[in-house]
Amino acid sequence: MTAVATPWAAAPVTAIVDGARARLDAGVRLAALVALWSSLLLVTYWWATGGGFQDLGSWADGLTSTGRLTGLLASDLLLVQVLLMARVPTLEHAFGQDRLARVHRLVGFTSFNAMLAHIGLITWGYAAGKLGRTPATLSELTVDYPGILLAVAGTACRVLVVVSSVKAARRRLRYESWHLLHLYAYLGVGLALPHQLWTGQDFLASTARTVFWWGLWIACAVSVLVWRVALPLWRSARYRVRVTSVVPEGEGIVSVHMAGRRGMRLSAEAGQFFTFRFLSGRGWTRAHPYSLSAAPDGRNLRITVQVVGDGSASLRLLRPGTRVLVEGPYGRLCARARTRPKLAFIGAGVGITPLRALAEALDYAPGDAVLLYRYSGRPLFQQEIEVIAAERGLQVIALPGHRRAPGSWLGDGVGPASDLTALASWVPDIADRDVYVCGPDPWSDDVRHTTEAAGLPADRFHVESFGG
Ligand SMILES: Cc1cc2nc3c(=O)[nH]c(=O)nc-3n(C[C@H](O)[C@H](O)[C@H](O)COP(=O)(O)OP(=O)(O)OC[C@H]3O[C@@H](n4cnc5c(N)ncnc54)[C@H](O)[C@@H]3O)c2cc1C
């Protein structure tokens, strides 16, 4: 693969851009933002009409009142946090997993800080505003008030989750350990409920409040049970996906081909990913996300995997016929994000997988799509990409080599021009395209900076991250 524009077939392809789904997703994102802020304003309004401001007149009552407000905000955000990761299809489509995970993290840390403020302020208030009496008051509240002991246990669970999610700790933990600890968040949320219902005067003070809080709790519980548990199990049972073959693609890289039950249509789009559990031995308890590396046809799936640890290494030994549990499809690095006729795909290493599927499946006229591919060693899918280039008119620009400098997403085989100058010379109309990007997080961030500097609007930069 060389850094040249490949010739393309003459047959014209009508570039179909149905921006309807992208517009719908933008509407959902706006509605979600409005709903979030409205819910925060609503609980603040209820706090105010329940005498929140009047209580600020005295020191001890003021502390208790502010503690009540922070508790309400913390509870609201806590439930929002659960909803964000419940794999609700409308939210998944509108935000994509990357963005949902980022918002979930921000909302989670905010909720946690508000909860700490709630515990501290309300206990201080109950201790008549005397700091020295606060520890004794905390233990009295824990023992005497209904539900508080459970809430303390819930807080301990959340402390565990938050501490393990701080970046420095997260880097030291194995992914599986971090993920297992993260599941304690559900326990933490569940244990907080009784004290809210038994002692939280703001929760059940009117029918509207009862409906609001119970509605939110039930929506969260049902969403998790339906979309995280029941639907994946039902789909796996229905589609009966099995491994059909495992094909080596290069050093440390294999493709796993799978097929679902005859007559069943798996609704997935090129560019999306599934979470897979291969029922071949002990590792089945750990689900791993992999993007489709070929356009799905409704029955057959292909993923292409780089060996980085136990889970990916075990895929090399899979036997045909092995049952596979699938969750998904997920992700919006697909046709639904598209708004422009012209496309650019920018990938690094094994991040080429969803881009190769997109280059195969999306509609574009010859010359309207360009692939920039950075790799070290041998490029993945070289022959397949050459076929797509010849048949579809995909322009291919190879960026060989390791990253040439910190902050640059180009390979060291590319030459001395800056990233922006190089991009502008290869794809002068980059700002008028939809740009699909896949690779490691820091690399994708560098691509984002360059495309932004080249004038690409943020909503036309579509990214899927494979991790740090
Ligand atoms: C949306 C998405 C799509 C992906 N698509 C591909 C692909 O097409 N091809 C490919 O080779 N790799 C892909 N990956 C990366 C792949 O999921 C990990 O490399 C793999 O799970 C590593 O597991 P392991 O047991 O081999 O290694 P480990 O040593 O367990 O993990 C290595 C690193 O992989 C990441 N990781 C591990 N397990 C998970 C998990 N369950 N969820 C998210 N990240 C995890 C963590 O960052 C971890 O530090 C994708 C990741 C994501 C998030």
Side-chain angles (χ1 to χ4, degrees):
M1 199 179 290
T2 48
V4 291
T6 328
W8 48 80
V13 178
T14 315
I16 299 168
V17 180
D18 172 15
R21 291 197 297 173
R23 283 194 296 280
L24 177 71
D25 291 345
V28 170
R29 288 196 293 275
L30 182 66
L33 194 70
V34 170
L36 170 64
W37 281 104
S38 306
S39 70
L40 291 172
L41 282 175
L42 186 63
V43 296
T44 308
Y45 168 75
W46 280 330
W47 166 82
T49 53
F53 281 118
Q54 286 89 320
D55 289 344
L56 296 179
S58 85
W59 174 237
D61 287 348
L63 287 170
T64 312
S65 176
T66 325
R68 267 174 41 220
L69 178 61
T70 49
L72 290 168
L73 298 175
S75 298
D76 190 22
L77 291 174
L78 179 66
L79 296 173
V80 168
Q81 188 192 357
V82 175
L83 263 185
L84 287 174
M85 293 317 272
R87 305 249 199 261
V88 181
T90 317
L91 294 178
E92 288 280 326
H93 292 153
F95 287 91
Q97 280 237 321
D98 266 14
R99 197 163 358 161
L100 275 181
R102 278 201 303 275
V103 180
H104 164 83
R105 192 177 158 84
L106 179 70
V107 169
F109 277 109
T110 311
S111 159
F112 181 73
N113 290 333
M115 183 198 69
L116 292 184
H118 163 68
I119 297 170
L121 289 167
I122 218 153
T123 315
W124 195 359
Y126 273 68
K130 299 198 168 65
L131 204 51
R133 274 175 51 188
T134 308
T137 307
L138 183 61
S139 72
E140 278 162 30
L141 287 174
T142 308
V143 176
D144 296 340
Y145 275 66
I148 301 284
L149 192 58
L150 293 177
V152 169
T155 304
C157 292
R158 290 192 66 200
V159 169
L160 198 70
V161 172
V162 169
V163 169
S164 64
S165 299
V166 171
K167 279 194 176 127
R170 170 84 180 77
R171 270 195 296 272
R172 284 192 177 81
L173 281 173
R174 272 176 65 85
Y175 181 87
E176 285 87 4
S177 317
W178 170 80
H179 190 247
L180 203 64
L181 283 175
H182 220 76
L183 295 182
Y184 279 92
Y186 289 112
L187 189 59
V189 175
L191 290 172
L193 179 62
H195 102 280
Q196 292 172 345
L197 300 179
W198 293 336
T199 54
Q201 51 175 295
D202 294 276
F203 279 81
L204 306 175
S206 67
T207 312
R209 289 175 222 206
T210 310
V211 169
F212 173 82
W213 285 109
W214 271 112
L216 203 52
W217 270 96
I218 291 169
C220 283
V222 170
S223 303
V224 170
L225 289 175
V226 168
W227 283 298
R228 290 213 75 139
V229 184
L231 195 65
L233 286 176
W234 180 77
R235 278 198 179 136
S236 291
R238 190 171 143 85
Y239 295 124
R240 297 189 151 271
V241 176
R242 286 183 192 275
V243 172
T244 51
S245 63
V246 177
V247 179
E249 297 282 0
E251 207 178 323
I253 299 184
V254 289
S255 283
V256 180
H257 295 250
M258 292 162 268
R261 191 157 70 180
R262 209 175 284 278
M264 291 285 167
R265 273 198 72 78
L266 269 162
S267 60
E269 292 186 42
Q272 290 192 299
F273 69 93
F274 284 84
T275 301
F276 295 92
R277 290 169 203 269
F278 295 92
L279 304 186
S280 57
R282 281 190 329 158
W284 77 270
T285 51
R286 296 190 289 271
H288 292 280
Y290 291 112
S291 300
L292 301 177
S293 62
D297 60 6
R299 178 154 184 257
N300 298 289
L301 302 175
R302 182 183 80 172
I303 56 172
T304 302
V305 175
Q306 179 162 38
V307 174
V308 294
D310 306 350
S312 42
S314 68
L315 301 194
R316 292 180 300 189
L317 308 173
L318 285 175
R319 289 174 181 283
T322 303
R323 274 294 305 273
V324 190
L325 301 185
V326 293
E327 287 174 45
Y330 299 129
R332 74 184 308 271
L333 191 81
C334 58
R336 75 176 300 131
R338 186 170 178 192
T339 56
R340 316 296 285 183
K342 287 190 161 193
L343 300 162
F345 307 112
I346 309 183
V350 76
I352 189 73
T353 46
L355 305 182
R356 183 238 165 271
L358 283 167
E360 179 188 354
L362 291 186
D363 271 328
Y364 50 86
D368 274 1
V370 57
L371 168 69
L372 285 83
Y373 177 27
R374 194 189 72 68
Y375 57 89
S376 48
R378 276 193 54 219
L380 194 55
F381 306 132
Q382 180 166 9
Q383 279 185 349
E384 294 182 15
I385 288 173
E386 279 169 8
V387 170
I388 297 173
E391 290 181 352
R392 302 288 316 279
L394 174 73
Q395 187 189 353
V396 182
I397 296 176
L399 312 171
H402 294 284
R403 284 177 80 176
R404 55 186 186 169
S408 171
W409 49 275
L410 297 177
D412 52 20
V414 161
S418 75
D419 290 19
L420 183 56
T421 310
L423 180 65
S425 71
W426 291 322
V427 196
D429 57 355
I430 188 82
D432 193 36
R433 295 178 183 240
D434 272 306
V435 178
Y436 289 81
V437 177
C438 189
D441 268 339
W443 180 87
S444 305
D445 286 344
D446 291 339
V447 178
R448 185 194 298 273
H449 295 145
T450 307
T451 52
E452 264 173 19
L456 183 79
D459 62 347
R460 278 198 241 129
F461 184 89
H462 316 297
V463 63
E464 192 74 80
S465 164
F466 280 8

